[in-house]
Amino acid sequence: ESAAVLEPTFRIEREAFRQAREQQQALLQGGLLRLSRAQLFKINSELHETIVSWSGNEFFLDAIKKVNRLRRLIEYRVTLDRSRLTQQCHEHLQILDLLEAGEVTEASGYLRRHIQGANSLKSPSVDHDTSRGRARKKS
């Protein structure tokens, strides 16, 4: 995703941008507590797909859609900790702010950190024991 915003063909579509911002703000205004896990996942995955679609690169868009299909299977099984979603919405709005300001390099880095942070919260930590050639879960 972070590479998609650096594509020379990257162009924000104004209407999609407006909708993405409104959805994130609606989540912060109570939607986070009212919507189902499926609805929250849909809104947030669509935000990321929308941002990638602005790159004009169909390969990136296809890849993010495949990743989101896999994530859906995993995340529906994870207990939803809604406390982290407020921060996630603020981060989404920050990404949109950076993109709107034309700060694509900063947006790319922020997006990468946002995704890494979300992954670390949702995935167990893994240590790679290279001396034995296997990975093991951190205690």
Side-chain angles (χ1 to χ4, degrees):
E1 290 179 57
S2 59
V5 302
L6 298 174
E7 286 287 294
T9 54
F10 186 86
R11 300 287 180 275
I12 294 173
E13 294 174 15
R14 288 287 152 204
E15 182 58 22
F17 183 90
R18 185 191 61 72
Q19 288 176 356
R21 182 180 292 286
E22 284 179 4
Q23 285 181 328
Q24 294 302 307
Q25 290 170 334
L27 290 176
L28 289 172
Q29 294 168 354
L32 290 173
L33 301 175
R34 289 190 309 270
L35 297 176
S36 70
R37 287 198 277 184
Q39 291 169 310
L40 293 171
F41 180 84
K42 183 178 187 291
I43 289 168
N44 289 319
S45 62
E46 284 178 354
L47 171 80
H48 287 270
E49 288 177 15
T50 297
I51 291 171
V52 170
S53 76
W54 296 335
S55 72
N57 185 318
E58 291 298 320
F59 295 108
F60 282 145
L61 185 56
D62 185 50
I64 188 68
K65 286 181 178 185
K66 287 178 181 177
V67 167
N68 281 337
R69 281 194 298 270
L70 292 172
R71 281 185 46 235
R72 184 178 299 113
L73 294 172
I74 295 166
E75 290 198 25
Y76 282 0
R77 293 189 176 137
V78 175
T79 302
L80 183 63
D81 175 10
R82 290 180 188 244
S83 65
R84 71 174 174 76
L85 296 180
T86 299
Q87 179 63 31
Q88 178 179 295
C89 285
H90 285 295
E91 290 175 7
H92 287 162
L93 289 168
Q94 179 64 30
I95 292 163
L96 292 173
D97 288 344
L98 289 167
L99 291 172
E100 186 175 38
E103 303 288 341
V104 293
T105 303
E106 291 81 359
S108 174
Y110 194 92
L111 184 54
R112 186 177 57 260
R113 290 186 301 278
H114 164 74
I115 293 166
Q116 288 170 341
N119 286 342
S120 69
L121 290 173
K122 297 172 191 175
S123 303
S125 297
V126 175
D127 253 346
H128 292 284
D129 184 351
T130 55
S131 66
R132 296 184 187 171
R134 62 181 182 206
R136 60 186 160 93
K137 188 174 176 178
K138 279 186 178 177
S139 347

